């Protein structure tokens, strides 16, 4: 039996949050240029971090014993929210206090990873308020939200945006049900706003099945898409090359090491280019991480506190 989706409770849904005030046109000071990552051969490894409980810096603590390359290539801040402003009747971008803390302290929480060559992406998730990526009432509304996302990437010096269409609860607060055009408009506008940045898809929810509208297919606008069911193998239903897909998904510390190894072995043997992990915490997870790095890269992992 799979462990479906995430095993998380939404502390992001609590009122312990503040609505973002993005200064339009603001940009981040990114500090020193990123050092070239030590080359490694094999799939891109992705680590989601629940920042309500754990530090983003954990992602940079794992290297390969053979060669010293980073185990993880992409670190995902989990998670910002798409909320609904009942007064304005519009979707808003919302950070709880823990996500805001990471962003406000980018110099110490994000830049050290980027300087190792690890990309840092912000995941955006529904929050039970009826706002989602699939029910913008107009192209303008979708474009406005896309601008908020790209402004956030610019302001905090991030490397991109991850879409996770869970927990929207479409229809709450009088919002509309998913429509065919919304996600196409949103992703098209976001890609136009940030052509050199990462856009990834957590392949779940109404948005994930609405990738084409009016003759426009947005599949090629994504850099990555991955399976949302931990401990399982499921090829995302999106027209991307194998190099950009992760059919494997594991929850570190909960997916067994044998399963993680088997999924990694299958990733390599079937020619897929991405391997997804979730819930990297602050414990020494060398054994769990080595279980898949041996199959992906032919090396144990090394943990440096």
């Amino acid at each position: 039996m799979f462990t479906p989706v995430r095993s998380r409770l939404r502390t992001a849904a609590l009122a312990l949050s503040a609505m973002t005030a993005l200064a339009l046109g603001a940009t981040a000071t990114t500090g020193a240029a990123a050092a070239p990552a030590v080359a490694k051969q094999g799939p891109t490894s992705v680590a989601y971090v629940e920042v309500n409980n754990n530090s983003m810096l954990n992602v940079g603590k794992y290297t390969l014993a053979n060669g010293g390359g980073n185990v993880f290539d992409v670190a995902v801040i989990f998670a910002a929210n798409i909320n609904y402003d009942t007064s304005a009747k519009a979707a808003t971008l919302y950070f709880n206090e823990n996500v805001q803390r990471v962003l406000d302290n980018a110099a110490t929480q994000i830049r050290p990873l980027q300087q190792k060559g690890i990309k840092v992406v912000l995941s955006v998730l529904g929050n039970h308020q009826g706002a989602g990526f699939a029910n913008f009432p107009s192209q303008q509304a979708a474009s406005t939200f896309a601008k908020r996302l790209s402004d956030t990437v610019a302001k905090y010096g991030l490397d991109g945006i991850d879409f996770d269409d869970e927990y929207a609860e479409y229809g709450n607060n009088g919002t509309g049900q998913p429509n065919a055009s919304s996600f196409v408009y949103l992703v098209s506008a976001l890609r136009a706003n940030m052509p050199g940045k990462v856009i990834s898809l957590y392949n779940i929810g109404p948005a994930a099945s609405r990738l084409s509208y009016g003759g426009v297919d947005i599949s090629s606008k994504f850099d990555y898409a991955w399976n949302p069911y931990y401990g399982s193998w499921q090829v995302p239903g999106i027209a991307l090359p194998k190099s950009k897909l992760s059919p494997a998904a594991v929850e570190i510390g909960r997916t067994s090491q044998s399963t993680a190894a088997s999924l990694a072995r299958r990733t390599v043997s079937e020619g897929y280019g991405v391997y997804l992990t979730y819930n990297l915490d602050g414990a020494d997870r060398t054994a769990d991480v080595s279980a898949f790095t041996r199959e992906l890269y032919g090396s144990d992992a090394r943990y440096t506190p």
Side-chain angles (χ1 to χ4, degrees), residues 21-298:
L22 299 176
L24 295 180
T27 57
T29 302
T30 57
V38 177
K40 70 178 184 186
Q41 298 295 317
T44 296
S45 289
V46 181
Y48 276 83
V49 178
E50 289 260 18
V51 297
N52 287 329
N53 306 309
N54 299 299
S55 170
M56 290 302 297
L57 297 178
N58 295 332
V59 181
K61 294 179 180 179
Y62 292 89
T63 55
L64 298 176
N66 298 337
N70 297 318
V71 166
F72 298 107
D73 305 288
V74 180
V76 184
I77 301 169
F78 191 79
N81 295 103
I82 178 171
N83 274 14
Y84 190 69
D85 183 336
T86 55
S87 297
K89 298 189 182 305
T92 62
L93 185 60
Y94 191 80
F95 305 147
N96 76 11
E97 62 179 4
N98 299 302
V99 172
Q100 188 69 65
R101 186 181 302 115
V102 171
L103 297 176
D104 288 343
N105 292 282
T108 58
Q109 298 298 307
I110 295 172
R111 298 299 165 256
L113 298 179
Q114 293 173 325
Q115 288 162 3
K116 291 174 183 284
I118 299 169
K119 292 185 182 298
V120 180
V121 171
L122 178 67
S123 187
V124 185
L125 175 77
N127 203 12
H128 313 281
Q129 298 184 8
F133 312 127
N135 69 341
F136 290 104
S138 66
Q139 184 171 8
Q140 181 58 51
S143 296
T144 296
F145 193 75
K147 182 66 162 57
R148 287 176 179 154
L149 294 175
S150 58
D151 283 348
T152 297
V153 168
K155 179 176 181 177
Y156 296 106
L158 300 171
D159 294 297
I161 293 292
D162 174 65
F163 288 109
D164 183 348
D165 192 16
E166 298 179 87
Y167 310 110
E169 297 185 23
Y170 290 100
N172 280 0
N173 289 312
T175 58
Q177 291 300 310
N179 61 59
S181 62
S182 180
F183 198 43
V184 172
Y185 288 148
L186 175 63
V187 175
S188 296
L190 183 63
R191 177 51 77 203
N193 291 351
M194 46 180 227
K197 299 291 186 176
V198 171
I199 303 177
S200 58
L201 177 65
Y202 190 80
N203 190 51
I204 199 168
S209 62
R210 290 166 168 82
L211 303 178
S212 180
Y213 177 75
V216 176
D217 189 308
I218 57 172
S219 298
S220 64
K221 299 184 187 298
F222 291 95
D223 295 277
Y224 306 110
W226 28 72
N227 171 16
Y229 299 99
Y230 302 113
S232 77
W233 178 273
Q234 180 175 290
V235 180
I238 181 172
L240 284 173
K242 284 185 171 184
S243 61
K244 296 186 175 185
L245 296 177
S246 180
V250 302
E251 182 171 355
I252 294 174
R254 295 194 61 172
T255 301
S256 72
Q257 292 173 22
S258 61
T259 297
S262 175
L263 292 171
R265 192 158 49 247
R266 187 171 179 182
T267 297
V268 173
S269 68
E270 297 192 20
Y272 287 94
V274 189
Y275 188 85
L276 176 69
T277 75
Y278 168 66
N279 207 23
L280 182 65
D281 61 18
D284 180 349
R285 297 293 182 179
T286 304
D288 293 304
V289 174
S290 292
F292 62 80
T293 61
R294 282 192 291 267
E295 303 296 336
L296 296 177
Y297 311 117

